[in-house]
Amino acid sequence: HDARDIQRFRREARAAAHLRGEHVVRVLDVGVLAGDRPFLVMERIDGVDLGTKLDAEGPLPAGVAVDLVLQACEGLAEAHGLGVVHRDLKPSNLLLTARPDGSALLKISDFGIAKWASGPATKLTTTADFLGSPKYMSPEQVREASDVDARADVWSLGVTLYQLVTARLPFEAYTTAGVLAAITADDPVPPTTHAPELDPALEAVILRCLAKKPEGRPR
């Protein structure tokens, strides 16, 4: 019933409808039903999200986790190339299904708070909004959700990869405020603290994704 929520809903449809790659959940149709009820028809995915898989199985083998995150990178590259920043990447928004040959296929879902790099959609975010999932938010997103670019998604993907291989998070606290304070001020706990067998080169990649300053992260 909120006009701004409906605008965000339409923005999700517009953002996702532009994405055609295999690593993004496809939007098939969007419209308005009687009574001004907006609807969105999306591709049906048979599978499980990575958050559920992680809860059920614990840490994934590093090679499996890296393969899945690289697939997410492919989907993000397409989105970023079109000027769309996801802003809410996390394991529960990464869906694992299979190709016809049985190989693992990862798809990114939920562009509900996606941000166009330019254009009127950015005006829908006000200083009162708190957009994103706190545990996966970059320092710049914590400070100002409307003023982020593709590098915020790199941070969130780094947190996700960290979690996939350790079943822990780089910034942990008892409260949301504590998590946000740690994200902006503290160094991440090295992933090898929780997974000593992790390849140091992979740890270095993860920690680079978690650079406080966006320019320090991988392009």
Side-chain angles (χ1 to χ4, degrees):
H1 300 291
D2 186 286
R4 291 177 69 245
D5 286 342
I6 292 174
Q7 283 183 289
R8 283 206 181 114
F9 179 92
R10 294 176 65 185
R11 178 176 63 190
E12 172 178 4
R14 188 175 69 220
H18 282 77
L19 304 176
R20 301 292 182 180
E22 68 171 348
H23 297 298
V24 174
V25 177
R26 295 287 302 279
V27 170
L28 305 176
D29 195 13
V30 62
V32 180
L33 300 172
D36 293 329
R37 293 178 295 165
F39 70 86
L40 182 68
V41 181
M42 305 181 77
E43 172 186 15
R44 182 178 187 274
I45 305 297
D46 291 314
V48 64
D49 69 80
L50 293 189
T52 299
K53 183 177 178 66
L54 192 62
D55 288 342
E57 302 177 12
L60 304 183
V64 173
V66 168
D67 175 68
L68 295 176
V69 168
L70 285 173
Q71 292 189 50
C73 287
E74 292 285 344
L76 278 180
E78 180 189 10
H80 293 166
L82 293 173
V84 178
V85 184
H86 191 286
R87 293 201 297 183
D88 196 24
L89 287 170
K90 54 188 175 182
S92 61
N93 281 339
L94 300 176
L95 310 184
L96 181 60
T97 185
R99 297 183 178 90
D101 65 3
S103 60
L105 175 61
L106 183 127
K107 289 178 174 282
I108 302 172
S109 68
D110 193 1
F111 277 80
I113 63 168
K115 170 185 178 291
W116 287 87
S118 61
T122 59
K123 298 178 182 177
L124 293 177
T125 301
T126 70
T127 54
D129 288 326
F130 187 77
L131 299 180
S133 302
K135 295 176 182 178
Y136 303 89
M137 291 171 66
S138 65
E140 66 271 22
Q141 189 172 355
V142 170
R143 295 185 179 97
E144 179 52 75
S146 64
D147 188 27
V148 299
D149 58 25
R151 296 171 294 184
D153 284 346
V154 173
W155 170 284
S156 300
L157 208 56
V159 176
T160 295
L161 180 54
Y162 185 114
Q163 189 176 13
L164 291 179
V165 297
T166 67
R168 299 287 294 272
L169 289 162
F171 305 97
E172 296 180 330
Y174 289 108
T175 66
T176 298
V179 170
L180 297 178
I183 287 171
T184 57
D186 297 345
D187 291 331
V189 176
T192 50
T193 302
H194 308 300
E197 75 285 356
L198 201 65
D199 189 323
L202 178 57
E203 178 176 68
V205 170
I206 293 172
L207 293 177
R208 189 177 168 202
C209 290
L210 301 179
K212 299 293 186 191
K213 294 184 178 180
E215 57 268 25
R217 299 171 203 153
R219 296 182 61 181

